[in-house]
Amino acid sequence: MRAVLLNCSLKSSPEPSNTQVLADVVLKSLTERDCATTVHRLADMTIPPGVVTDAGDGDQWPRIHDDLLAAEILIFASPTWLGRPSSLAQRALERMDAMLSETGDDGNPVAYNRVAGVVVTGNEDGAHHVISEISGALIDIGYTVPGQAWTYWNMGPGPGPSYTETDHRHEWSEKTAAAMAHNLHSVAEALRRNPIQPR
């Protein structure tokens, strides 16, 4: 089993990413289930805007696209800004729009028989909105989103510390992250045994 994480933090390496820290809990749980994992931190990559798989010279999205097609599990991780997914999350979804017109050897859209979940962080509320926006887009593209295939953390109303600056409610977020990994892996296994057949 293989999983790909798209970290849509606006921070470039080596600046610490709160989103990555929480997403790592999901990855650790998947690794314990013998799942290989790959991480793409989009802020470190050249990804032009567009709705194509390959935008030409310098575009690093094709590498991500290849990894998406090699993996059964996608973890989409975004911070919350202004109550919405990050701009990099939106850009990734727009580039994934090209997958709608791609089919596999079986004739199905390439995202079929793959599962996806969402990780969200933010020091203010809005996490459920971010989860619903990203999940809805992934379902449109063809991914299966299992029940409770998400985890999030926020501090609550108003400005405050970020995830790595406090221990506030980490236990809940990490417990939910482990459940998310379990559900993603279980449904991915089920789809591998009984894939969606071409119409």
Side-chain angles (χ1 to χ4, degrees):
M1 192 72 68
R2 293 152 294 183
V4 171
L5 169 70
L6 300 186
N7 179 354
C8 302
S9 170
L10 298 182
K11 301 173 184 173
S12 300
S13 300
E15 190 173 358
S17 165
N18 292 286
T19 303
Q20 185 67 52
V21 173
L22 181 54
D24 282 341
V25 179
V26 182
L27 294 181
K28 180 176 182 292
S29 189
L30 286 171
T31 300
E32 291 169 353
R33 291 168 168 80
D34 295 323
C35 185
T37 61
T38 300
V39 176
H40 291 288
R41 188 163 175 172
L42 303 192
D44 293 340
M45 305 178 75
T46 301
I47 304 172
V51 290
V52 295
T53 295
D54 190 343
D57 287 348
D59 182 14
Q60 292 182 286
W61 182 260
R63 190 173 106 206
I64 297 173
H65 177 268
D66 289 345
D67 283 345
L68 292 175
L69 297 189
E72 294 84 6
I73 299 171
L74 168 61
I75 301 160
F76 215 102
S78 176
T80 309
W81 292 112
L82 301 174
R84 304 183 62 80
S86 76
S87 56
L88 284 176
Q90 181 64 31
R91 178 164 298 191
L93 290 170
E94 288 168 350
R95 294 299 300 268
M96 290 174 71
D97 182 83
M99 294 169 68
L100 286 166
S101 59
E102 298 173 16
T103 55
D105 293 339
D106 61 1
N108 273 335
V110 291
Y112 275 34
N113 298 311
R114 306 178 197 280
V115 301
V118 185
V119 174
V120 180
T121 58
N123 60 10
E124 295 187 65
D125 54 7
H128 276 283
H129 176 74
V130 174
I131 291 166
S132 65
E133 285 215 348
I134 294 174
S135 295
L138 293 172
I139 290 168
D140 276 356
I141 292 164
Y143 280 88
T144 296
V145 178
Q148 297 185 343
W150 47 262
T151 189
Y152 71 88
W153 178 88
N154 61 43
M155 188 65 191
S162 296
Y163 183 73
T164 55
E165 297 171 338
T166 177
D167 292 330
H168 174 73
R169 299 301 307 273
H170 280 212
E171 181 180 356
W172 182 89
S173 297
E174 291 173 8
K175 179 181 178 181
T176 309
M180 168 186 174
H182 173 77
N183 294 347
L184 286 169
H185 190 269
S186 296
V187 175
E189 285 278 18
L191 285 170
R192 183 155 62 179
R193 292 191 300 269
N194 295 289
I196 299 168
Q197 297 299 316
R199 289 176 292 188

